[in-house]
Amino acid sequence: MTISHDRGRTSLYGVHAHAESLEDAVSTLDGCCVRAPIGEEADVAMARKVIRQLAPRGGLSEAAAHALATAVSEIARNIVVHAAVGELSVCVVHDCDRRGLIVVACDTGPGIPDPERAMQDGYSTVESLGLGLSSARRLVDDFALASAPGRGTTVILKKWAS
């Protein structure tokens, strides 16, 4: 099941995407994209650093960069806690008349049995506040989540320059 949130609209549809490969180190895909493995808490901090470094190239303000870095932290931490390993791809994009960053987080973990419920504030399968996914959705401009039990999870975050 996939959940998509685009500027205030949320829809559900049955599409699933998952990770294709994992890199051993942060690597540049081209001049505008960076790929980073996620497998331990230190990788969560590295993911935040990647966002902060690419944010100016995407035209993001300091506040927008901070919001995206916080959302990425939540998603990366979910990978560490629930899937053990995964990967982030962060790309600077120019889409018609706007610029920004797109983050794709993938894992091949157990997946989310009920993505719609997992997006609700306060829902947690571990002892936490249960605000990670829902907060990440609120902090970005566009949000999509694809997951199925046994097939992993993919989250796409987009933050556009003002």
Side-chain angles (χ1 to χ4, degrees):
M1 173 168 293
T2 299
I3 296 175
S4 178
H5 173 78
D6 183 359
R7 299 203 190 279
R9 296 183 312 271
T10 301
S11 60
L12 301 175
Y13 48 95
V15 177
H16 177 71
H18 55 85
E20 293 180 5
S21 67
L22 297 176
E23 298 291 318
D24 292 329
V26 172
S27 61
T28 301
L29 299 174
D30 62 31
C32 297
C33 291
V34 172
R35 182 177 283 167
I38 303 296
E40 59 186 68
E41 195 62 34
D43 297 332
V44 175
M46 180 59 70
R48 288 182 65 86
K49 183 176 181 180
V50 166
I51 297 300
R52 287 192 306 270
Q53 289 179 340
L54 289 180
R57 292 180 68 186
L60 298 184
S61 67
E62 188 174 323
H66 182 72
L68 182 58
T70 301
V72 166
S73 289
E74 294 295 342
I75 300 305
R77 189 163 286 108
N78 279 355
I79 291 173
V80 171
V81 170
H82 298 287
V85 295
E87 178 180 84
L88 290 180
S89 294
V90 182
C91 295
V92 176
V93 294
H94 300 270
D95 182 16
C96 297
D97 60 341
R98 59 187 180 172
R99 295 183 330 169
L101 295 183
I102 295 179
V103 180
V104 179
C106 301
D107 68 61
T108 54
I112 301 171
D114 188 350
E116 187 173 11
R117 187 168 179 212
M119 292 301 302
Q120 296 174 359
D121 284 344
Y123 177 77
S124 177
T125 58
V126 296
E127 292 183 19
S128 71
L129 295 175
L131 297 173
L133 287 174
S134 59
S135 293
R137 179 179 59 194
R138 285 189 292 273
L139 289 166
V140 298
D141 297 316
D142 302 320
F143 178 97
L145 180 146
S147 189
R151 304 233 11 217
T153 300
T154 298
V155 176
I156 300 172
L157 309 170
K158 297 177 185 178
K159 191 71 173 172
W160 301 109
S162 300

